[in-house]
């Protein structure tokens, strides 16, 4: 991933240096397990742990000659270790190292994502509480529907992020697996007890039934869950973009002092961060497709997945992390305009209260079809007119006046009616 979208705390987990560190962690854990079971001398393991090291530049230099990254790594490690290095990688195959170490990287990345997700949850929860009673219009098909509150909208975001958190916690369990089963996974040259001990030392569980690789359905699920989280963040971003339109302007991204929106038009204040999030979600979704295509490997293994994962897994993790951090700042500093919300809700004389008028007429004994026709006639008369006033038309409609008193008509236009049960949603979310 380019530096522009890479935050150091996540980017560091996908460097060559960190990757080689996880490879060494796996090799040492296997050596320790072999020593615990009496297969190699404990003195040799102590020497390996004391001397083992690597130089990323040197590894790449060796790889340029041998054309094999794991062999290049082991060669470099043995340049530090010396004679005891003959016990490193004993009975193992390259994928034992690669897949087990990759699981460590994926878990570490997911832990960082979950940590930042907790921060996002806290920000949305606070903002939802802050705007619990900030009344605005709800929209369906992009058209004014009925009143809600901005806090209620954010409560929906909170519920969605909490579901994403649960999904990621579940996928962490399925991702945290390793395999030390040798070529084609049969344990012919290394026994299952070594795998069990080594995985325990690494904080992983042995894969139930690996081939020469860990099956890629695990990796596909991992990235698909990241894509689902990205889709949720995109939904929030698209909503902010829509609400920031000049002719709506109910919320707005924070615009800092000295910031400029356009090289040509000095007045512009564009929702650039929300648009950036939308674009990033598209990228992560594309990686979800690639991970599914990686599942179908030939027989017990091939490496058609490898080149994809070298690009896709770092990018997906780095972008997801960036999206969360960006969303935290975006929502925390979001500018909210309650006066504009009230103005938009009451355009055309409160036409959005049409259902309350219709239902009140029905409660008074009018047939629903007749009530619908009367209310729709008045609503459409007021609709899209500069001076359109639905409430005034309803108040002076003789058919309505026969059924409803002025006080009953007033009650139809009280937005609090639409908010009376929202406390139950807030209680479910602990807001």
């Amino acid at each position: 991933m380019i530096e522009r979208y890479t935050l150091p705390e996540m980017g560091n987990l996908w460097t060559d240096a960190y990757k080689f560190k996880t490879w060494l962690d796996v090799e040492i854990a296997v050596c320790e397990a072999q020593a615990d079971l009496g297969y190699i001398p404990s003195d040799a393991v102590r020497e390996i742990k004391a001397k083992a090291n690597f130089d990323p530049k040197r590894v790449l230099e060796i790889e340029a000659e041998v054309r094999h990254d794991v062999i290049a790594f082991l060669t470099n490690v043995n340049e530090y270790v010396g004679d005891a290095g003959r016990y490193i990688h004993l009975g193992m195959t390259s994928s034992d190292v690669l897949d087990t170490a990759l699981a460590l990287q994926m878990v570490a990345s997911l832990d960082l994502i979950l940590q930042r997700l907790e921060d996002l949850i806290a920000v949305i929860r606070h903002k939802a509480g802050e705007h619990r009673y900030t009344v605005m219009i709800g929209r369906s098909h992009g058209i004014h529907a009925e009143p809600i509150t901005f806090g209620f909208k954010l409560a929906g975001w909170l519920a969605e992020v909490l579901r994403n958190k649960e999904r990621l916690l579940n996928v962490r369990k399925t991702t945290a697996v390793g395999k030390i089963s040798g070529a084609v996974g049969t344990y012919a040259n290394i026994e299952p007890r070594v795998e069990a001990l080594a995985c325990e030392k690494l904080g992983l569980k042995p894969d139930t039934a690996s081939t020469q690789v860990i099956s890629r359905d695990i990796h596909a699920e991992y990235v698909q869950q990241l894509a689902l989280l990205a889709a949720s963040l995109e939904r929030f971003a698209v909503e902010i973009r829509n609400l920031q339109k000049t002719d709506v302007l109910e919320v707005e991204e924070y615009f800092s002092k000295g910031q400029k929106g356009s090289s040509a038009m000095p007045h512009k204040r564009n929702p650039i961060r929300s648009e950036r999030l939308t674009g990033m979600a598209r990228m992560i979704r594309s990686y979800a497709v690639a991970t599914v295509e990686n599942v179908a490997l030939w027989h017990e293994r091939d490496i058609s997945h490898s080149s994809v994962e070298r690009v896709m897994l770092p990018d997906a993790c780095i972008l997801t992390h960036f999206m969360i951090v960006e969303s935290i700042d975006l929502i925390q500093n979001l500018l909210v305009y309650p006066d504009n919300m009230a103005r938009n809700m009451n355009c055309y004389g409160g036409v959005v209260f049409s259902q309350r008028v219709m239902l009140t007429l029905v409660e008074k004994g009018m047939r629903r079809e007749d009530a619908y026709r009367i209310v729709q006639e008045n609503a459409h008369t007021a609709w899209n007119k500069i001076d359109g006033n639905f409430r005034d038309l309803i108040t002076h409609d003789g058919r309505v006046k026969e059924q409803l008193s002025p006080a009953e008509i007033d009650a139809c236009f009280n937005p609090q009616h639409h908010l009376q049960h929202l406390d139950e949603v807030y209680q479910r979310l602990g807001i």
Side-chain angles (χ1 to χ4, degrees):
M1 179 48 56
I2 62 174
E3 290 184 11
R4 185 182 184 90
Y5 303 133
T6 303
L7 300 176
E9 57 185 345
M10 179 63 81
N12 290 338
L13 298 180
W14 293 98
T15 60
D16 281 344
Y18 189 87
K19 177 181 71 174
F20 294 145
K21 175 187 175 299
T22 60
W23 290 10
L24 189 56
D25 289 342
V26 172
E27 293 286 4
I28 288 175
V30 173
C31 286
E32 290 177 330
Q34 298 263 40
D36 290 346
L37 295 172
Y39 292 126
I40 66 175
S42 297
D43 288 347
V45 176
R46 282 193 290 271
E47 185 176 352
I48 290 168
K49 291 173 68 175
K51 294 181 177 179
N53 206 342
F54 57 85
D55 177 356
K57 291 182 179 179
R58 175 63 177 148
V59 173
L60 296 177
E61 180 182 295
I62 299 170
E63 185 183 355
E65 178 185 349
V66 301
R67 303 286 181 172
H68 194 293
D69 53 357
V70 176
I71 291 174
F73 169 75
L74 292 170
T75 301
N76 181 226
V77 170
N78 280 316
E79 288 175 341
Y80 289 92
V81 174
D83 186 59
R86 69 181 187 273
Y87 296 112
I88 298 174
H89 205 70
L90 205 61
M92 297 170 64
T93 190
S94 296
S95 293
D96 291 334
V97 181
L98 295 173
D99 282 7
T100 305
L102 183 59
L104 295 176
Q105 280 184 288
M106 291 167 69
V107 168
S109 297
L110 197 53
D111 285 343
L112 188 53
I113 286 169
L114 283 163
Q115 177 185 330
R116 287 300 188 176
L117 204 60
E118 288 292 351
D119 296 334
L120 179 61
I121 288 167
V123 166
I124 298 176
R125 188 184 298 278
H126 175 79
K127 191 70 76 172
E130 181 183 352
H131 291 283
R132 183 174 186 147
Y133 302 112
T134 303
V135 182
M136 67 180 297
I137 189 61
R139 296 169 171 91
S140 58
H141 304 275
I143 309 301
H144 286 197
E146 292 192 342
I148 60 172
T149 72
F150 187 55
F152 176 67
K153 185 186 292 287
L154 291 165
W157 296 7
L158 176 60
E160 192 164 337
V161 175
L162 289 171
R163 289 193 296 273
N164 276 290
K165 174 187 170 182
E166 288 303 311
R167 286 189 284 260
L168 291 177
L169 287 171
N170 287 332
V171 84
R172 189 191 186 283
K173 296 175 185 176
T174 57
T175 302
V177 296
K179 63 91 59 183
I180 310 294
S181 53
V184 300
T186 58
Y187 302 98
N189 299 299
I190 193 166
E191 65 171 277
R193 288 191 302 164
V194 173
E195 178 184 66
L197 283 172
C199 284
E200 183 180 2
K201 293 174 187 293
L202 295 166
L204 304 174
K205 291 184 178 180
D207 190 15
T208 305
S210 66
T211 61
Q212 190 159 317
V213 297
I214 292 174
S215 295
R216 259 44 198 176
D217 65 299
I218 290 175
H219 305 72
E221 182 187 17
Y222 182 94
V223 178
Q224 285 171 342
Q225 295 305 338
L226 295 185
L228 196 53
L229 170 58
S232 294
L233 299 179
E234 180 188 17
R235 183 172 87 86
F236 309 157
V238 168
E239 182 68 13
I240 290 170
R241 289 168 59 194
N242 275 309
L243 295 180
Q244 187 168 332
K245 291 177 180 177
T246 305
D247 46 351
V248 178
L249 202 55
E250 294 177 353
V251 305
E252 189 176 31
E253 291 186 9
Y254 178 74
F255 202 82
S256 61
K257 184 179 180 180
Q259 184 175 342
K260 292 176 173 60
S262 167
S263 64
M265 297 167 284
H267 71 277
K268 294 297 290 296
R269 292 162 65 108
N270 301 324
I272 57 170
R273 306 181 80 177
S274 300
E275 290 171 339
R276 184 183 302 135
L277 290 170
T278 301
M280 288 179 169
R282 294 170 187 166
M283 288 295 297
I284 298 173
R285 276 197 297 277
S286 74
Y287 292 139
V289 174
T291 61
V292 174
E293 293 179 346
N294 270 356
V295 173
L297 302 180
W298 285 15
H299 305 300
E300 278 58 59
R301 76 149 322 182
D302 65 53
I303 62 166
S304 61
H305 63 92
S306 176
S307 55
V308 181
E309 289 172 357
R310 288 174 191 269
V311 176
M312 172 266 298
L313 283 174
D315 280 10
C317 291
I318 289 169
L319 278 178
T320 302
H321 177 253
F322 185 95
M323 286 184 72
I324 297 171
V325 174
E326 188 85 341
S327 297
I328 291 169
D329 190 69
L330 174 61
I331 295 170
Q332 189 169 40
N333 295 301
L334 192 67
L335 304 175
V336 181
Y337 301 127
D339 290 344
N340 290 354
M341 291 176 175
R343 178 201 66 202
N344 291 339
M345 185 178 68
N346 291 305
C347 68
Y348 309 136
V351 71
V352 298
F353 297 98
S354 66
Q355 182 175 194
R356 283 307 309 149
V357 177
M358 180 188 70
L359 292 178
T360 305
L361 288 171
V362 172
E363 290 167 5
K364 288 292 184 176
M366 187 178 287
R367 292 174 64 247
R368 190 181 189 281
E369 292 78 4
D370 294 335
Y372 191 106
R373 176 174 47 80
I374 291 168
V375 173
Q376 186 185 51
E377 177 186 313
N378 284 285
H380 286 186
T381 299
W383 187 262
N384 200 29
K385 306 290 193 306
I386 293 176
D387 58 349
N389 194 321
F390 173 69
R391 182 169 184 167
D392 187 61
L393 291 171
I394 285 293
T395 301
H396 292 94
D397 189 309
R399 297 165 296 180
V400 176
K401 290 167 67 175
E402 286 179 4
Q403 302 292 329
L404 305 180
S405 69
E408 289 171 327
I409 292 175
D410 286 344
C412 292
F413 291 84
N414 184 353
Q416 294 306 312
H417 173 85
H418 299 268
L419 316 180
Q420 59 183 316
H421 297 300
L422 296 188
D423 280 349
E424 184 172 336
V425 175
Y426 299 131
Q427 287 167 8
R428 292 174 194 161
L429 291 166
I431 302 174

